[in-house]
Amino acid sequence: DDIAIGAENTGNYNISWTPSESLSSDSEPIVTASPTITTSFEAVVLDNLTGCVYEDSLQINVGEGFSLNMIPDSILCDVQGIELYTEATVPGDYDFEWSPVDQLNNPFSATPIATPQTTTTFNVQALSEQGCTATGEVEVVVNTLLSADIIITDDQLCLGANTQLELILGGNQDDVSIDWIPAESLDDAVSFTPIASPTVDTEYEVTITDDLTGCVLTESIEIEVYDGFSINLGPDLDLCEVEGHQITPT
């Protein structure tokens, strides 16, 4: 930045500025300084009537230009939030200000915690001690796959029976991949509603992946399977007595 410096009441005076390399003039009472490094400017004023000489100096501190290293664009899968961070490329003391502020725990920190409910771009401005500024931004993509539950028609089966599993998702149900295990006793291991035909007690686990964010949910359910059995009533009988005959199944 440029800055104007000067002397007052110079009608009968000669002025000499040093160093003059970054000044708009070396003899005008008011000059524009454009230093690229911290510089001390000196003005020597000669009173033409008395021959007296007056001197004064002024130091202009020049802050080094900088930029911001930002956290990469990120995906938020955890409702607890995500830590953002930024760091100036030049060491020093900086003031930070993030926006939007309503989704941050501390908008004046270099490392605030962000808890956006939807995909949001966060902007930050850093201010150095010398008044230099730099800006940066980061996008946080928010997972919309919120919850998963399994509904089952019957979790206790006799050997040879089957039951339907139904996956219920909270939030976005589009652009998701489904994978049930073990797949051997299911008619469709990538379906929302597979038919299970287990032959032994089995725990089925489903993994749901949001294809857009990569966020993952898992849920499981156990099915008990009881051993099959048969009934033997004995051989067929011909009866003559009206009293009947006792039948004992085995």
Side-chain angles (χ1 to χ4, degrees):
D1 295 331
D2 296 337
I3 188 169
I5 55 177
E8 296 181 351
N9 301 323
T10 59
N12 296 314
Y13 301 92
N14 289 332
I15 300 175
S16 176
W17 292 92
T18 57
S20 60
E21 290 78 15
S22 58
L23 297 176
S24 58
S25 171
D26 63 357
S27 59
E28 293 294 326
I30 298 177
V31 296
T32 299
S34 305
T36 56
I37 59 174
T38 296
T39 304
S40 181
F41 294 96
E42 183 179 49
V44 177
V45 181
L46 172 64
D47 187 332
N48 294 322
L49 297 179
T50 65
C52 295
V53 175
Y54 306 92
E55 298 180 4
D56 199 1
S57 63
L58 172 70
Q59 179 170 295
I60 297 178
N61 295 318
V62 177
E64 185 176 354
F66 67 96
S67 60
L68 295 178
N69 292 324
M70 300 293 299
I71 179 177
D73 289 345
S74 303
I75 295 171
L76 177 60
C77 297
D78 190 341
V79 295
Q80 299 301 317
I82 185 172
E83 182 180 74
L84 308 180
Y85 71 82
T86 185
E87 181 182 38
T89 55
V90 175
D93 293 326
Y94 296 90
D95 293 326
F96 297 96
E97 184 173 0
W98 294 81
S99 64
V101 300
D102 59 327
Q103 300 170 42
L104 300 169
N105 69 331
N106 183 358
F108 304 108
S109 169
T111 56
I113 301 297
T115 53
Q117 302 302 305
T118 59
T119 297
T120 302
T121 297
F122 291 93
N123 298 282
V124 61
Q125 177 175 278
L127 176 67
S128 71
E129 292 180 292
Q130 293 78 26
C132 301
T133 62
T135 59
E137 66 177 31
V138 58
E139 182 182 50
V140 178
V141 178
V142 176
N143 172 43
T144 56
L145 186 60
L146 304 178
S147 63
D149 293 295
I150 299 173
I151 297 176
I152 188 170
T153 55
D154 191 353
D155 62 358
Q156 295 179 328
L157 300 178
C158 293
L159 185 65
N162 59 49
T163 188
Q164 185 176 60
L165 310 178
E166 182 178 0
L167 177 63
I168 305 297
L169 296 181
N172 178 37
Q173 298 191 23
D174 300 324
D175 302 310
V176 295
S177 298
I178 298 171
D179 184 28
W180 293 86
I181 56 172
E184 294 79 11
S185 54
L186 297 174
D187 70 329
D188 187 351
V190 295
S191 168
F192 275 85
T193 56
I195 301 297
S197 304
T199 57
V200 295
D201 292 351
T202 303
E203 182 179 25
Y204 292 98
E205 182 178 89
V206 62
T207 300
I208 311 100
T209 304
D210 187 323
D211 297 332
L212 299 180
T213 65
C215 297
V216 173
L217 289 177
T218 60
E219 189 58 67
S220 63
I221 195 167
E222 186 171 358
I223 297 178
E224 294 181 278
V225 178
Y226 298 105
D227 291 336
F229 62 91
S230 61
I231 297 176
N232 183 9
L233 299 179
D236 294 341
L237 298 173
D238 293 324
L239 298 179
C240 296
E241 299 178 0
V242 295
E243 288 84 0
H245 179 80
Q246 184 176 2
I247 300 173
T248 303
T250 60

